[in-house]
Amino acid sequence: MTNQNDRATWLKGGCANCSVPPADKKDPARFILLGPPGVGKGTQASLLAKHYGACHLSTGDVFRAAKSIDACERTPAIDEALTLMKHGALVGDDLVVQMVGERSRCINCGGGFLLDGFPRTVSQAEAFDGILQEEGVTLDAVISYELPIEKIIARLGGRRTCSKCKAVFHVEGLPPKEEGICDHCGGELFTREDDKPETIRVRMEAYEKSTQPLIDYYEKQGILVHVECGEYPDETLGRSLEILKEVS
């Protein structure tokens, strides 16, 4: 047993139990996190989870972890989702909602949660509202992390990846000792296709197109808060906490 929650209930589903269940709180924090690639949403999730003592529930982590779970231990929704992914097919809204619904113990956990990667569509959001209602749970806020496109390009476009060991550097934030050469293995550094400015703009357009209806949905509910990301993670965290004090 460790002092850190391994999120087994979330990652494995079924009858799995976390190694260290979160302590019940009088007012557990319950947030949904939104944000485009490059804003540091994952980092903020970790910092907020530590601050509030809540679990970071990422649907992406569930799918990644499911690949290493024995077939006999997978839930029906996860088993079907993996089959679709294996054949390059999209996992539909109904199946993702079912997967989250199988983990209702996490949603109803007295320690609170930070939900990342779900919902992605208004249809999923509406279904999730139904799950919350069934569990008698209320969201404190939906946090939309924002950053101007040019700053996102600077962040992602400055990344360099080693062609051999896959270590990641940044031309400004974490430059290699020798330009273009990996500090760890001497491999050549390159810019991934996803990190090229023209690709980033396409990804941002796709994100805005798919996410704007979701932002509008939560805006109408009066629980959406906008957080402009700062230069450093602690700066963004400070802004988040100040805003969340007013709504939670």
Side-chain angles (χ1 to χ4, degrees):
M1 241 183 173
T2 66
N3 292 324
Q4 185 174 3
N5 189 319
D6 60 5
R7 300 179 300 158
T9 304
W10 177 252
L11 297 177
K12 296 181 181 179
C15 298
N17 290 302
C18 298
S19 60
V20 183
D24 285 351
K25 297 180 175 62
K26 183 179 179 181
D27 295 305
R30 295 184 175 114
F31 305 124
I32 289 174
L33 308 183
L34 303 176
V39 298
K41 179 163 59 73
T43 299
Q44 291 306 306
S46 297
L47 293 173
L48 287 170
K50 183 177 181 180
H51 177 84
Y52 286 105
C55 277
H56 176 200
L57 306 181
S58 166
T59 49
D61 287 347
V62 172
F63 287 126
R64 283 186 285 271
K67 296 177 182 178
S68 60
I69 298 175
D70 290 340
C72 61
E73 296 180 355
R74 296 173 190 161
T75 65
I78 283 294
D79 207 29
E80 186 176 347
L82 289 176
T83 300
L84 289 170
M85 292 165 64
K86 183 178 179 180
H87 292 88
L90 294 175
V91 180
D93 285 354
D94 290 347
L95 195 55
V96 178
V97 169
Q98 184 182 341
M99 181 201 79
V100 174
E102 290 175 341
R103 289 154 175 76
S104 59
R105 282 191 297 158
C106 294
I107 301 303
N108 201 32
C109 177
F113 62 81
L114 306 171
L115 194 52
D116 177 11
F118 177 89
R120 289 185 180 274
T121 66
V122 172
S123 175
Q124 289 181 2
E126 291 172 340
F128 187 53
D129 282 349
I131 293 174
L132 293 174
Q133 188 173 3
E134 288 177 7
E135 298 299 324
V137 171
T138 303
L139 285 173
D140 292 306
V142 177
I143 309 170
S144 177
Y145 286 107
E146 298 163 0
L147 194 65
I149 179 70
E150 297 307 325
K151 290 188 177 181
I152 290 178
I153 289 176
R155 285 189 180 186
L156 298 181
R159 292 197 301 198
R160 300 293 182 268
T161 303
C162 177
S163 57
K164 291 184 178 179
C165 71
K166 307 305 179 185
V168 178
F169 297 84
H170 194 281
V171 293
E172 295 181 358
L174 186 64
K177 296 176 182 178
E178 183 179 349
E179 185 176 353
I181 303 298
C182 176
D183 292 351
H184 308 296
C185 70
E188 182 180 355
L189 302 182
F190 71 101
T191 303
R192 296 191 325 175
E193 194 66 35
D194 283 354
D195 292 338
K196 292 181 179 179
E198 58 272 21
T199 305
I200 295 170
R201 290 187 186 277
V202 171
R203 291 169 66 193
M204 281 297 297
E205 289 175 3
Y207 171 81
E208 291 175 359
K209 182 178 180 180
S210 64
T211 308
Q212 190 58 52
L214 192 59
I215 288 175
D216 293 341
Y217 177 81
Y218 285 119
E219 194 94 68
K220 290 177 182 176
Q221 291 190 16
I223 59 173
L224 186 81
V225 297
H226 301 268
V227 177
E228 184 174 349
C229 297
E231 190 72 21
Y232 302 102
D234 285 346
E235 183 181 353
T236 303
L237 176 64
R239 292 177 182 176
S240 301
L241 296 178
E242 281 299 316
I243 293 174
L244 292 174
K245 279 181 185 177
E246 302 173 7
V247 299
S248 61

